[in-house]
Amino acid sequence: MGWFKRLKDGIQTTTKFKKEAPDGLWYQCKQCHETFTVKELKENFYICSKCEHHARIGSHDYFDLIFDGKFELLFEDIRSKDFLEFTDLKNYKDRLDVAWEKTDLTDAICVAHGKVGKRPLCIAAMDFSFIGGSMGSVVGERISRAVDHCIETMTPFMIISKSGGARMMESAFSLMQMAKTSTKLAQLSRAKVPYFSFMTDPTTGGVTASFAMLGDLNFAEPKALIGFAGPRVIKETIKRDLPEGFQRSEFLLDHGFLDFIVDRKELKTKIADLLFLFENKEEI
Amino acid sequence: MVFLEFEKPLENLYDQLEKIRQISEEGDIDVTDKIKELETKIKAKQKEIYSNLTGWQKVQLSRHPERPYTLHYIQQMCKKFVELHGDRKFKDDKAIVGGIGKINGQPLVFIGHQKGVNTKMRQYRNFGMANPEGYRKALRLMKMAERFGMPVICLIDTPGAFPGLEAEERGQAEAIARNLFEMAQLKVPILCYIIGEGASGGALGIGLGDRIFMLENTWYSVISPESCSSILWRSWDYKEQAADALKLTADHMLEFGLIDDIVKEPAGGAHMEPDKMVKTLKAHIKKNVAELMALGEEERIQHRLEKYSKMGQFDIAKAKNKK
C-alpha cells in the first residue's frame, strides 16, 4: 500500500481523443474523433474510413475529384466590394481582407469548366471557408456568367452548394442574388440545358431557397445539413428539441426533395452516368 | 390612436385638439381660430418628425398596429373581389391571401401577406409568416392569372417566412425557390409593393416581378434588424445600429436601383389617412398595369430577366491580383 492517495483524478480526457500533431499532417474526424494522416484521408475521398463521415472540403478538392484531369477556372476576376460601407463589430472590408489573406480563394464560389467521363461539364462550387460560404453579389454574378457560358456552349451545369446563406454585409444586394440566380436558372431551363444541384454540408438559408432547390436533379452528400431556417432558430421558435436526423439529407430524400444521396466515392461515376443519360445522341 | 415613441410630441398636440373640440361642442365659445392654430402646429411638427426618420424609426412605422394590411387595400381598391383559398396540395395558409379583383374593368390577381388586427387575429394569421403552402397557393394563383392574361399584384408585408419544424418538412426553401423560378418567366405582368415589412426570403418569395415598389415608410432587407443584431453583434441590443447598417429604407433601395419607385404615404404614415393611401396605391397600380400591358409578352419577360441579371455590386480585379 502506498503512502499517498490521489484525491482528485488527473487528466480527464481519455487518451483516445487526445492526439496533438502539427497542422497539415494529421486529420481528426469531427464525428468519431479517429485520427488519420491527411494523405490517408485524401486517398479515401476525404471520408472517415471508420464512420463514413464526409469531411467538409473546398471547391478545388471537388474539381480534383470530379473532373478528368485538367479544368479551366472562369470569372476569377470578379471581386466583392464593400458598397454599403457596412460596419458591425468589424468592417466588411476588413472581413474581406482577412478572408483573402487566410484562404487561396477569391470568393465563396469558384467556377470551372472541364470534362467528366469525356463529356463537358461546368461546375460552380462553393467554399465554406470564405465568410461561411455566404452569397453576396460575386456569388450571384459568377453563377450568372456561368449560366451564360453554359447556354452559349450548350454545356450541362452543376452547382455544389455549401453555404450558411446570404451575406448580411451586402444587405438587399445579397437578398437580390436569390432572385438573380433563380432568374438565370430560368433562362438556362428555357434553353433546355440540364442543371444538377448537388448539396453538401451545410446548405441553408437563401442558397437553399434559390438555386440549391432548383435543379432538374437535386442530390446531396450523406448526412448533410440542408434547410431554410437554421436548427437553432427552429428550436427557439417551437421551443422543443428537434428530432434525430432532422434537416439531414436522408430526411430530405424521405420528404421528396432530393432525387438521391450520393457517397463521395461514387460521385464522379454518378455524374458521368448522368451526363451520358442526358446526352441525346444516337449511339454508333 | 397609438403613438410611437418618437411621435410623443404629437400625442400632446392631438390631446389638446381633442379637448378644444369637446369644448366647442358643449358650449357657444368660438374656438375655430384655436383649432386652426393647433392644426398648423400639428402639421409643422409632423413635417419635422417624419422628414428625418432613422432606419429603425421607419421599421417601427412599418409595424404600426393601425397600419392598413393587404385585405384592407384590396377590398377598398376593387369594386368586386373574391378571395380564393388553398394550395390544392396540403392546406390553406392564412398568412398569405389571394384572389381575383377588378380595378376599372381590368381583372387582376392579388396576392399578399396578411397580418391580424388584434391578438386573436394575429395568431390566426401567424403574424404574417407564411408556410410553404402559402407560397404554393400564391404560385397556383399566378399560374391561373397567366392562363387568363390577368396581371398579378403582390402586396408584401412579412417579418419573414415561418421558421417551423413542419415548414422545413414540407420544403419552405423549395416553395420559395420555385416561386422565384416561376415568377421570373411568368407571361403576365407582375407588380410588387412592399406595404409594410419586407423581410428576407419570406418577402422575396412573392416579390419578384417587372416592377418593384415600396411605400414610403417600409423596409426591405436580407434580415430583420433584430436578427442581424443578434448574429453580428451577438446581442439583441444593437437593432438601431443594424437598421442603419443594413440601409433598408425605401430611399436607399431606390438609390441602389433595386426598386423602381417609392409610393408616397400621407403625412404621419399610411395609418393616419388610410383612404388617401388606398387612393394613391390604386392610381399607382392602374398606371403601371397599363404601361406593362402595352408591352409584348416576350419583351416583358426579357426585360425582367435583364433587370435581375444586372443586380449586384462588385469590382473587376486585374489578373492575378487577389483584391
Side-chain angles (χ1 to χ4, degrees):
Chain A
M1 210 176 98
W3 284 17
F4 301 104
K5 199 181 164 201
R6 186 192 283 274
L7 290 173
K8 272 191 208 162
D9 283 335
I11 297 164
Q12 304 268 325
T13 328
T14 52
T15 41
K16 192 177 127 200
F17 290 161
K18 191 173 160 41
K19 284 174 187 170
E20 278 176 29
D23 283 348
L25 267 180
W26 295 86
Y27 172 83
Q28 189 180 47
C29 175
K30 300 268 184 298
Q31 198 76 39
C32 72
H33 305 287
E34 187 70 19
T35 312
F36 311 95
T37 65
V38 167
K39 194 167 161 269
E40 278 169 344
L41 185 76
K42 200 175 167 185
E43 278 163 4
N44 198 37
F45 301 86
Y46 305 93
I47 300 169
C48 172
S49 50
K50 196 178 164 208
C51 75
E52 298 284 302
H53 174 70
H54 285 52
R56 280 186 190 170
I57 56 174
S59 55
H60 286 255
D61 301 323
Y62 279 110
F63 294 155
D64 290 338
L65 286 176
I66 298 168
F67 284 127
D68 311 338
K70 62 179 195 315
F71 54 87
E72 186 197 351
L73 288 175
L74 300 170
F75 323 121
E76 280 288 305
D77 58 345
I78 305 166
R79 294 288 191 289
S80 290
K81 72 169 171 186
D82 183 14
F83 183 75
L84 301 175
E85 294 174 351
F86 192 98
T87 305
D88 49 278
L89 296 174
K90 275 189 212 159
N91 292 327
Y92 176 38
K93 207 183 154 294
D94 293 343
R95 282 182 197 271
L96 284 171
D97 283 336
V98 170
W100 281 318
E101 190 95 0
K102 267 173 57 184
T103 64
D104 292 329
L105 305 160
T106 52
D107 215 284
I109 201 164
C110 206
V111 183
H113 182 104
K115 285 191 169 173
V116 185
K118 294 180 187 150
R119 290 184 177 82
L121 177 68
C122 178
I123 304 179
M126 302 189 80
D127 280 286
F128 198 74
S129 56
F130 198 97
I131 319 186
S134 55
M135 167 164 63
S137 296
V138 172
V139 170
E141 183 65 15
R142 286 189 184 170
I143 289 178
S144 169
R145 292 198 193 187
V147 166
D148 289 339
H149 166 82
C150 289
I151 293 175
E152 219 169 277
T153 56
M154 290 305 274
T155 309
F157 186 40
M158 172 159 123
I159 299 181
I160 305 179
S161 294
K162 188 184 279 295
S163 169
R167 193 173 292 171
M168 260 179 281
M169 292 72 93
E170 293 189 24
S171 194
F173 284 101
S174 71
L175 179 66
M176 290 310 154
Q177 302 313 305
M178 289 172 67
K180 176 169 172 170
T181 52
S182 305
T183 301
K184 292 307 287 189
L185 290 173
Q187 261 175 287
L188 190 69
S189 170
R190 282 155 70 91
K192 298 189 167 42
V193 176
Y195 163 50
F196 308 142
S197 170
F198 179 44
M199 289 166 253
T200 67
D201 186 64
T203 299
T204 57
V207 165
T208 322
S210 58
F211 55 81
M213 278 292 158
L214 292 175
D216 290 303
L217 300 183
N218 293 337
F219 47 97
E221 278 189 350
K223 296 200 176 112
L225 176 76
I226 302 165
F228 178 62
R232 194 178 52 84
V233 177
I234 298 169
K235 213 173 143 179
E236 276 169 19
T237 308
I238 62 168
K239 298 188 174 61
R240 58 188 152 107
D241 284 334
L242 302 171
E244 179 83 22
F246 179 65
Q247 291 185 312
R248 296 286 161 180
S249 307
E250 296 70 18
F251 174 91
L252 271 92
L253 181 72
D254 193 40
H255 284 85
F257 294 101
L258 294 179
D259 288 286
F260 52 82
I261 293 170
V262 58
D263 193 285
R264 209 178 274 157
K265 284 176 196 161
E266 277 120 44
L267 183 59
K268 186 186 163 82
T269 330
K270 196 82 167 188
I271 294 169
D273 286 351
L274 291 176
L275 290 176
F276 166 72
L277 290 169
F278 270 82
E279 189 181 60
N280 202 356
K281 230 194 253 169
E282 231 177 287
E283 282 176 64
I284 308 157
Chain B
M1 266 200 279
V2 181
F3 289 92
L4 300 169
E5 216 177 283
F6 59 89
E7 292 175 314
K8 288 292 175 210
L10 279 175
E11 187 170 11
N12 214 338
L13 291 172
Y14 272 104
D15 279 351
Q16 285 180 35
L17 186 68
E18 192 58 30
K19 270 180 202 148
I20 291 172
R21 280 204 175 124
Q22 269 175 13
I23 293 170
S24 86
E25 273 167 26
E26 284 161 10
D28 336 297
I29 313 160
D30 183 19
V31 285
T32 337
D33 286 351
K34 189 76 192 155
I35 288 179
K36 262 198 187 141
E37 191 194 316
L38 265 173
E39 279 175 347
T40 331
K41 256 195 193 168
I42 287 175
K43 277 220 173 102
K45 196 84 207 164
Q46 270 182 339
K47 209 173 168 191
E48 185 194 317
I49 293 177
Y50 296 111
S51 56
N52 285 310
L53 291 181
T54 64
W56 176 245
Q57 286 168 337
K58 291 225 170 181
V59 171
Q60 287 173 294
L61 258 190
S62 78
R63 294 172 180 165
H64 197 288
E66 286 163 354
R67 215 177 149 80
Y69 298 139
T70 294
L71 281 175
H72 177 89
Y73 283 115
I74 301 174
Q75 279 152 358
Q76 298 294 314
M77 286 190 298
C78 300
K79 240 193 201 140
K80 199 149 207 91
F81 170 71
V82 176
E83 193 183 338
L84 303 169
H85 295 272
D87 67 347
R88 298 294 186 269
K89 291 183 171 106
F90 178 72
K91 207 176 176 172
D92 181 47
D93 192 342
K94 308 295 188 287
I96 287 185
V97 295
I100 313 179
K102 257 190 181 180
I103 292 183
N104 293 82
Q106 168 70 56
L108 300 165
V109 165
F110 288 91
I111 292 162
H113 299 97
Q114 182 65 33
K115 290 179 176 174
V117 289
N118 53 41
T119 310
K120 205 177 154 195
M121 288 307 283
R122 274 190 270 277
Q123 278 178 348
Y124 176 74
R125 296 293 183 187
N126 200 25
F127 305 91
M129 293 186 284
N131 274 289
E133 48 273 21
Y135 295 102
R136 292 182 181 131
K137 166 163 77 176
L139 184 57
R140 174 177 80 87
L141 296 181
M142 286 187 253
K143 285 290 184 187
M144 182 191 71
E146 186 175 54
R147 279 196 299 285
F148 298 105
M150 301 171 181
V152 175
I153 314 295
C154 296
L155 304 179
I156 293 155
D157 187 7
T158 181
F162 187 60
L165 189 139
E166 291 84 2
E168 293 289 323
E169 278 180 350
R170 295 196 291 274
Q172 186 73 289
E174 194 275 343
I176 292 173
R178 187 65 47 203
N179 279 15
L180 298 178
F181 185 82
E182 294 294 342
M183 290 174 95
Q185 46 188 336
L186 204 76
K187 289 176 183 144
V188 288
I190 307 174
L191 295 179
C192 304
Y193 290 87
I194 315 280
I195 58 164
E197 300 187 84
S200 194
L204 192 64
I206 55 166
L208 194 154
D210 299 291
R211 289 183 189 173
I212 317 299
F213 306 110
M214 286 173 80
L215 267 52
E216 197 182 343
N217 298 309
T218 63
W219 61 277
Y220 201 177
S221 163
V222 70
I223 189 167
S224 74
E226 288 95 334
S227 306
C228 181
S229 161
S230 94
I231 295 172
L232 291 181
W233 278 266
R234 298 188 191 99
S235 145
W236 295 96
D237 303 333
Y238 295 86
K239 47 189 193 288
E240 282 99 341
Q241 285 93 323
D244 282 339
L246 288 166
K247 299 199 164 65
L248 41 63
T249 65
D251 288 330
H252 281 125
M253 292 291 286
L254 187 65
E255 185 196 319
F256 300 154
L258 297 177
I259 61 165
D260 297 272
D261 192 15
I262 297 172
V263 185
K264 273 281 194 200
E265 290 187 23
H271 60 285
M272 297 300 271
E273 292 175 78
D275 292 345
K276 195 172 166 189
M277 189 68 246
V278 167
K279 239 188 209 164
T280 313
L281 186 63
K282 186 175 171 177
H284 202 274
I285 291 176
K286 239 176 84 180
K287 176 175 165 279
N288 280 283
V289 165
E291 284 172 15
L292 287 170
M293 289 296 265
L295 299 175
E297 194 179 287
E298 200 48 40
E299 190 184 5
R300 218 164 30 222
I301 296 175
Q302 277 312 319
H303 282 182
R304 203 183 296 154
L305 296 175
E306 278 162 30
K307 174 192 177 80
Y308 283 95
S309 298
K310 279 190 216 132
M311 286 186 185
Q313 284 294 337
F314 48 84
D315 282 330
I316 299 293
K318 295 219 170 65
K320 292 205 172 162
N321 188 347
K322 261 209 122 175
K323 294 179 193 176

